[in-house]
Amino acid sequence: MSNQGNIELLSATLAKAKSEDRAALVAYLPAGFPTVDGAIEAAKAIIAGGADVVEIGLPHSDPVLDGAVIQTADDIALRGGVKIADVLRTVRETFEATGVPILVMTYWNPIDRYGVERFTAELAAAGGAGCILPDLPVQESALWREHAAEHGLATVFVVAPSSRDERLATITAAGSGFVYAASLMGVTGTRESVGNEAQELVRRTRTTTELPVCVGLGVSNAVQAKQVAGFADGVIVGSAFVKLLLDAPDEQAGLAAVGALAGELAEGVRRS
């Protein structure tokens, strides 16, 4: 009997948020930043503050989807020597301490090198709920999906405003857990149109799937969280947490800051 991951817990968590007439708060942090232990403590602080789901980033030297803030944190983690084993420990210890669904967000290359079967087995054994794979093309994902399903792990794919309807349907049919709708923030002053783009993307995505749709939109505060919670099943926040840790004078201040932001965002995603 192979170890089973926590896709059911992820689905139940998102369904519970829906039953409470709110969006789920999904937080992102890179593993190994500021240190491996520091990232685990930060994840626990964010969950204590009110996050429903946490994504642990596997730091990559070429994080094409991530902006400057996360690139800086990834760089610190990589210089600190973070390894896949540390990412898995981060998942395990955060899950054991909190019981909250933990996903890994990773580019494909590190998994490919580590071995798909090995990675899915070890992620499931660590209590992981699944993976977000932003750069794995759906048409090349069969091997991954087979092993992920065997181990009870969600495969979360990313859709974008540029995805055509036919492509959206292909992506959502292959995915599980939820759909990650990426609506990248433009320059300052265009947030209104980005919000509309994200809302339209969620609407289009929902015509193709029953899966919850969570939006990563450059959301950094409770006002934006409330806006996105008005049309999405989940609100994904990453850079705002990472920036607080980067700017903090010391680790305790950083933990207090991310916990407080999680609390504000958790209020924001409650639509009433």
Side-chain angles (χ1 to χ4, degrees):
M1 176 66 196
S2 60
N3 272 303
Q4 283 302 295
N6 273 305
I7 187 172
E8 280 90 359
L9 175 66
L10 174 65
S11 298
T13 300
L14 294 169
K16 181 173 184 286
K18 187 175 186 175
S19 76
E20 294 170 0
D21 188 37
R22 65 182 182 86
L25 175 58
V26 181
Y28 165 91
L29 287 173
F33 167 76
T35 60
V36 176
D37 289 336
I40 293 166
E41 291 310 312
K44 293 196 288 200
I46 286 169
I47 291 163
D52 299 291
V53 177
V54 170
E55 304 172 2
I56 299 297
L58 195 159
H60 192 340
S61 53
D62 184 27
V64 287
L65 279 190
D66 299 307
V69 168
I70 289 169
Q71 285 186 20
T72 302
D74 274 7
D75 192 47
I76 291 167
L78 290 166
R79 281 201 310 248
V82 71
K83 300 278 186 286
I84 286 183
D86 300 313
V87 177
L88 293 165
R89 176 161 81 87
T90 304
V91 172
R92 180 183 300 106
E93 293 191 13
T94 305
F95 176 65
E96 284 174 356
T98 65
V100 159
I102 313 293
L103 298 135
V104 169
M105 182 160 186
T106 179
Y107 295 98
W108 181 243
N109 178 261
I111 305 257
D112 194 36
R113 295 214 322 245
Y114 194 76
V116 175
E117 167 54 31
R118 180 182 173 201
F119 186 84
T120 50
E122 291 180 12
L123 180 56
C131 259
I132 300 159
L133 299 158
D135 68 341
L136 176 64
V138 171
Q139 60 274 20
E140 292 171 28
S141 68
L143 179 71
W144 164 269
R145 286 188 285 130
E146 179 190 326
H147 287 298
E150 186 186 322
H151 288 293
L153 297 169
T155 298
V156 178
F157 288 116
V158 179
V159 298
S162 57
S163 308
R164 294 167 189 264
D165 290 349
E166 193 182 331
R167 176 101 184 117
L168 279 180
T170 305
I171 296 171
T172 61
S176 56
F178 65 91
V179 181
Y180 189 124
S183 187
L184 303 175
M185 297 297 273
V187 294
T188 312
T190 63
R191 192 169 65 76
E192 203 47 53
S193 63
V194 173
N196 295 340
E197 254 189 353
Q199 188 162 3
E200 177 61 12
L201 175 58
V202 171
R203 186 195 65 72
R204 289 169 54 220
T205 303
R206 282 198 175 129
T207 66
T208 71
T209 184
E210 296 292 307
L211 290 171
V213 183
C214 302
V215 171
L217 184 92
V219 174
S220 61
N221 60 50
V223 173
Q224 291 168 326
K226 193 174 215 61
Q227 182 192 357
V228 175
F231 58 82
D233 299 299
V235 179
I236 301 168
V237 180
S239 295
F241 287 119
V242 176
K243 189 172 189 326
L244 289 174
L245 293 173
L246 279 170
D247 293 348
D250 58 61
E251 189 168 317
Q252 285 315 117
L255 295 177
V258 295
L261 176 60
E264 291 162 27
L265 293 165
E267 285 299 306
V269 298
R270 285 165 168 77
R271 301 184 181 111
S272 52

